[in-house]
Amino acid sequence: MRNNKKIYLDYNATTPVDKRVVEAMLPYFTENFGNASSDHFSGWDAREGAELAREQISNLLNCKPTGITFTSGATEAANLALFGFCESNRSKGNHIITCKTEHKAILDCMQALENQGFEVTYLEVDSEGNIDLKELENAISQETILVCLMLANNETGLIHPMKEIERIVHQKGVKLMSDITQAVGKIPVDVKKLNLDIAVCSSHKLYGPKGVGALYINKKNDVMIGQTVFGGRQEKGIRPGTLNVPGIVGFGKAAEIAFSEMEADSKNVSELRKRMEVLLAEIETTAVNSNKSNRLPNTTNITFNNIDGNQLLRRLNKLAVSRSSACTSNTINPSHVLTAMGKNKHQALSSLRISLGKNTSLEDIEFAVSEIQKTVDQLKTATV
């Protein structure tokens, strides 16, 4: 029976690898296993697989393949980009602008850059999670060298107006970097149209393997990123080391599938999310966060007021849901995203992120809401 099964609703944390992706990867473990830097037939075969993947990813992002540098994930890509760019451009200024609701992969880098003498401005957000574009414009000074703002928030799904942000930033002669990780594969992401200077993303968020990501550098915009990791000249020296060819091939295949199926998948999960939020609204004292803003089609972040968040999460043992991003979910601290949006500690701790995927069904949604309703009712009764 369905009640004996567990439902995965944490697709923003990671996704299952598509079987077609696994099939594409397998030969590169056993047959085309060569080092992509080796100058013989085995290396050539491996290199060919990696370059095909570079084309597939650039096709999804609408950029040239030469703009893609492979990394171990978005976190490493962000580190390479931020430290490489800021140090190389220090003579032009030492000021960076970001936002309080960025992913920890960005915020932790910002803290480290502050320790190195850079000045960082953290933009405030409103109750929906939106930044004030006028505040952004006013924050840019003669010393500003970079603005770093994510395209879509990993906890609430809120989508920043990146094209408007780009106009403001580039009119001031400043470079723009964006963490596009949560958006890629869920909504169209055209880095050329957005005119991003730097972008980072990960394979495992779009049904590809873990341990591989990409750093996009817009070479037409004269972006200079210095080398921060040493040991070889692979990936133009930006990210030296033997290429993870099976992972890269899988990333490329996942990008190819997303390019052809994303529109249909997004429409389906959007309908499921709408249905789920209608059902969740029937639970008293609930509030969907960022519900008045443009959001990813698969993401719901909902606060259960006057409920013990720890008990709620523990009792929902048939559902894979989370309270924040996966990198911080093992801590008991409230979400920095929700607190920046004005939620108090109790509200932030009693909020759940529910993120749907292409394997999610209407039956999954109905079962999940039933489990949540039952658990909330039990917790309310226990406190009476």
Side-chain angles (χ1 to χ4, degrees), residues 86-130:
C86 291
E87 194 56 45
S88 295
N89 292 273
R90 196 163 197 159
S91 61
K92 300 177 183 178
N94 73 332
H95 181 229
I96 311 159
I97 299 172
T98 189
C99 177
K100 287 188 173 181
T101 55
E102 289 291 309
H103 193 281
K104 284 294 186 181
I106 300 295
L107 294 178
D108 285 355
C109 286
M110 293 297 171
Q111 185 176 5
L113 285 165
E114 286 185 284
N115 293 337
Q116 293 180 12
F118 287 91
E119 180 186 347
V120 181
T121 295
Y122 298 90
L123 299 175
E124 301 282 350
V125 297
D126 63 17
S127 61
E128 287 284 300
N130 293 294

Side-chain angles (χ1 to χ4, degrees), residues 301-325:
N301 190 298
I302 185 166
T303 299
F304 298 86
N305 290 295
N306 304 317
I307 292 293
D308 186 322
N310 290 327
Q311 289 296 321
L312 176 64
L313 196 61
R314 288 171 184 168
R315 295 192 186 195
L316 291 174
N317 52 22
K318 296 179 181 178
L319 307 180
V321 294
S322 65
R323 282 193 291 195
S324 58
S325 64

